[in-house]
Amino acid sequence: MKRNIIITGGAGFIGSHVVRLFVNKYPEYNIINLDKLTYAGNLANLKDIEDKPNYKFVKMDICDFEGVLKLMQDNHVDGIIHLAAESHVDRSIKDPFTFAQTNVMGTLSMLQAAKLYWESLPEKWEGKRFYHISTDEVYGALELTHPEGVKPPFSTKASSDQHLAYGEKFFTEDLKYQPHSPYSAAKASSDHFVRAFHDTYGMPTIVTNCSNNYGPYQFPEKLIPLFINNIRHRKPLPVYGKGENVRDWLYVVDHARAIDTIFHQGKVAETYNIGGFNEWKNIDIIHVLINTVDRLLGRKEGEDMDLITYVTDRAGHDMRYAIDSTKLQRELGWEPSLQFEEGIELTVKWYLDNQEWMDNVTSGDYMKYYEDMYANR
């Protein structure tokens, strides 16, 4: 079956992995990567597929309603996978307006354009799908009731004592939203708009909420790539508070696989949580990164532990996130393919082997390249 799919934010971290998967796996699909190319968007993430015949890049702001509507009409779009968003909590604390504009109004722009176009067609909603990717942060925070951690009884991937659960409760799809940061508040609002378009107009929508992702091509403002780079160059590793905050981590390729599964097999109007039953305290992850980077660089394992520098905690810093993805595993058969030890080894090796990519991102040269390219068109 031929499909015409827009993937928003496809030049970003998670988006580029989703674009690559769909372009390579479904040569009969036409994949349109719609991205504004903000600081987090980098077309170098997709150099390996940029010349594929079923791939097209369009530089556009999702808030450009008229432009988005025309793009859908001109390309007969029948599917939207919506990842474009501002996503860094620290930035949202400093600039909440940008997060509300992009995450809320941008999502509304995409929804309304899809509604007007699809309702104009003879078949209307038939064969259409609007898939909205959200975050586990909309659920608020969980209590850290087991500070030392216990092995989750339902984990399919726990292979060592370091795969621990730090409390009895987990984020499930029926929890009420309790966002605590401007970022999560903006994402929560966008989720509500997506569900409202299904309930009000009958639009075939799906929402997923995913845990922290890690892997290649992540912008180095996020913990794992930032710390890998800092360890390599022996720069300080700033740790919020005592590093006791707990997050559930998922390898980005497994998230892309989940998006593929849910887009094709998920039920309309359903919500699916995506996670790895893979909780880690921040300080424990940092220890793993130091040991792994040191070993791969031929240093004495752990010799860079003195780079850890404790800093004032982030305002409103949630203590624990933990996703229960049992529904997704049970109903659609998805589960993570990698244990954390495997995923972090692949991730560290990728960043160490791709220092040119890292240098271009940290210097900002990647943005100038694409600004010049579009200026000369």
Side-chain angles (χ1 to χ4, degrees), residues 17 37 60 63 96 229:
H17 286 276
L37 293 184
M60 185 179 292
C63 293
N229 200 45

Side-chain angles (χ1 to χ4, degrees), residues 14 22 32 35 44 50 96 101 108 118 155 165 228 242-243 253 257 259 270 287 320 332:
I14 299 172
F22 272 69
I32 302 164
D35 200 296
E50 64 182 6
Q101 179 67 23
L108 184 56
W118 290 343
S155 175
I228 291 171
K242 297 179 180 179
V253 174
R257 289 177 46 249
I259 290 171
E270 288 288 337
H287 288 163
R320 174 177 174 250
L332 301 183

Side-chain angles (χ1 to χ4, degrees), residues 187-208:
K187 288 299 290 185
S189 178
S190 67
D191 296 2
H192 290 319
F193 268 109
V194 173
R195 295 189 178 103
F197 266 65
H198 171 267
D199 294 346
T200 303
Y201 308 113
M203 180 182 287
T205 64
I206 290 179
V207 175
T208 56

Side-chain angles (χ1 to χ4, degrees), residues 328-341:
L328 176 57
Q329 295 186 13
R330 182 183 64 245
E331 295 186 8
L332 301 183
W334 172 92
E335 65 178 27
S337 66
L338 291 180
Q339 297 172 5
F340 184 75
E341 290 87 347

Side-chain angles (χ1 to χ4, degrees), residues 45-298:
N45 298 353
L46 293 164
K47 290 289 289 183
D48 56 317
I49 58 108
E50 64 182 6
D51 294 325
K52 295 273 188 175
N54 63 330
Y55 170 73
K56 177 167 70 173
F57 171 72
V58 175
K59 187 176 187 293
M60 185 179 292
D61 187 342
I62 56 173
C63 293
D64 178 3
F65 169 73
E66 296 294 340
V68 170
L69 176 59
K70 187 175 188 305
L71 183 68
M72 291 185 190
Q73 293 169 333
D74 291 347
N75 291 275
H76 310 290
V77 169
D78 52 41
I80 295 168
I81 300 175
H82 179 42
L83 291 118
E86 297 284 348
S87 65
H88 196 257
V89 175
D90 287 350
R91 288 178 182 265
S92 80
I93 293 170
K94 295 177 181 177
D95 181 16
F97 285 102
T98 295
F99 280 68
Q101 179 67 23
T102 299
N103 297 359
V104 182
M105 298 307 295
T107 298
L108 184 56
S109 171
M110 295 297 302
L111 285 165
Q112 183 69 357
K115 173 187 175 293
L116 292 181
Y117 173 52
W118 290 343
E119 282 189 335
S120 72
L121 301 175
E123 71 276 16
K124 295 188 182 297
W125 306 122
E126 184 180 349
K128 310 301 188 299
R129 178 148 296 190
F130 190 107
Y131 178 180
H132 175 67
I133 285 82
S134 189
T135 173
D136 57 357
E137 297 192 35
V138 298
Y139 294 121
L142 296 166
E143 291 185 59
L144 189 67
T145 55
H146 301 315
E148 301 307 316
V150 296
K151 291 184 80 169
F154 41 73
S155 175
T156 60
K157 292 293 174 185
S159 63
S160 75
D161 289 338
Q162 285 192 306
H163 286 145
L164 304 175
Y166 289 89
E168 297 93 348
K169 295 184 179 180
F170 297 81
F171 293 144
T172 56
E173 289 84 355
D174 58 356
L175 280 182
K176 71 175 183 178
Y177 278 18
Q178 298 185 50
H180 292 157
S181 69
Y183 162 60
S184 56
K187 288 299 290 185
S189 178
S190 67
D191 296 2
H192 290 319
F193 268 109
V194 173
R195 295 189 178 103
F197 266 65
H198 171 267
D199 294 346
T200 303
Y201 308 113
M203 180 182 287
T205 64
I206 290 179
V207 175
T208 56
N209 302 86
C210 191
S211 60
N212 281 30
N213 281 214
Y214 70 97
Y217 299 110
Q218 187 169 27
F219 192 81
E221 67 182 354
K222 298 298 179 77
L223 187 151
I224 288 179
L226 173 65
F227 279 33
I228 291 171
N229 200 45
N230 282 11
I231 296 164
R232 178 175 195 152
H233 296 288
R234 290 194 159 123
K235 295 180 178 180
L237 307 177
V239 180
Y240 282 132
K242 297 179 180 179
E244 297 291 313
N245 302 76
V246 173
R247 297 294 182 263
D248 177 16
W249 293 87
L250 182 68
Y251 191 58
V252 65
V253 174
D254 281 331
H255 189 188
R257 289 177 46 249
I259 290 171
D260 176 24
T261 298
I262 294 164
F263 180 81
H264 290 96
Q265 302 176 32
K267 296 179 181 177
V268 168
E270 288 288 337
T271 298
Y272 298 93
N273 282 348
I274 308 172
F277 292 120
N278 181 37
E279 296 182 54
W280 287 75
K281 288 184 180 178
N282 286 345
I283 192 63
D284 292 335
I285 285 223
I286 293 163
H287 288 163
V288 170
L289 290 174
I290 293 171
N291 287 332
T292 306
V293 174
D294 282 348
R295 171 170 50 81
L296 292 175
L297 289 179

Side-chain angles (χ1 to χ4, degrees), residues 307-328:
L307 295 174
I308 294 174
T309 304
Y310 294 97
V311 299
T312 303
D313 206 355
R314 167 194 286 163
H317 200 177
D318 291 338
M319 179 54 69
R320 174 177 174 250
Y321 301 152
I323 281 279
D324 183 349
S325 56
T326 301
K327 175 181 175 180
L328 176 57

